[in-house]
Amino acid sequence: MKIRTGFGFDVHRLVEGRDLWLGGIKIEHSMGLLGHSDADVLIHAICDALLGAANMRDIGYHFPDTSGEFEHIDSKILLKKTVALIATKGYTVGNIDATVCAERPKLKNFIPQMQQVLAEVMDVDVEDVSIKATTTERLGFTGREEGISAYAVALISKGL
């Protein structure tokens, strides 16, 4: 059996007039994230972690923000495509551990739903999707509520 890990990071600016999508769910908030797709920073970080673990470059390489095909796309579709991409090299998702950094909205009540949605998209058990939320204690761009960032680590394997 071969086991590999990967790390992902993403950040998007908060703006008025956009929906806030995190972990594949829409969260009511006064602002949303700006991006070519739905700008779901959590899913984008997970995609990068999976692609990195498989040594398949990054989300921007596979789903460029210069392509009309991906404009306003639901990031759950990108995650599903990412899982299919790593499968072409024989890998399956083992587990995900991710952290979202945001001052507001408070995310703890949304985490179980995010875990369920992401587990379904990746075809893994909900126990294999860990999501945590934190603030930056009002420091930096996140603390000033200018944006939201996310970090993710993925474990993938093949040969089971």
Side-chain angles (χ1 to χ4, degrees):
M1 172 173 36
K2 187 170 193 170
I3 297 173
R4 296 177 61 119
T5 61
F7 173 77
F9 170 76
D10 195 37
V11 61
H12 283 276
R13 177 181 304 275
L14 280 163
V15 296
E16 293 182 5
R18 294 265 307 199
D19 291 331
L20 179 59
W21 286 91
L22 285 173
I25 66 170
K26 184 178 172 183
I27 297 173
E28 290 303 318
H29 190 54
S30 59
M31 295 188 285
L33 294 169
L34 181 63
H36 187 68
S37 66
D38 63 9
D40 188 323
V41 293
L42 178 55
I43 288 181
H44 295 181
I46 292 169
C47 288
D48 268 349
L50 291 167
L51 290 166
N55 193 20
M56 296 181 79
R57 301 194 59 171
D58 60 42
I59 190 173
Y61 178 80
H62 293 280
F63 313 113
D65 65 4
T66 55
S67 171
E69 176 185 357
F70 305 115
E71 189 170 10
H72 305 296
I73 195 167
D74 181 335
S75 290
K76 292 186 296 292
I77 295 169
L78 301 180
L79 181 56
K80 188 73 145 175
K81 288 177 180 278
T82 298
V83 172
L85 279 169
I86 69 167
T88 66
K89 290 181 86 174
Y91 289 106
T92 59
V93 177
N95 75 293
I96 302 294
D97 183 23
T99 302
V100 180
C101 299
E103 287 298 320
R104 287 185 317 115
K106 297 300 181 194
L107 300 174
K108 69 179 178 180
N109 294 332
F110 299 104
I111 289 174
Q113 186 181 358
M114 289 181 199
Q115 289 174 293
Q116 186 64 48
V117 167
L118 296 176
E120 288 173 11
V121 171
M122 293 184 286
D123 195 27
V124 298
D125 291 335
V126 72
E127 286 293 313
D128 295 326
V129 182
S130 169
I131 301 171
K132 290 137 1 248
T134 191
T135 70
T136 58
E137 301 295 329
R138 307 215 51 84
L139 297 172
F141 74 87
T142 303
R144 292 186 300 271
E145 298 184 43
E146 296 170 4
I148 295 176
S149 61
Y151 302 84
V153 177
L155 179 102
I156 62 174
S157 64
K158 70 176 168 180
L160 286 177

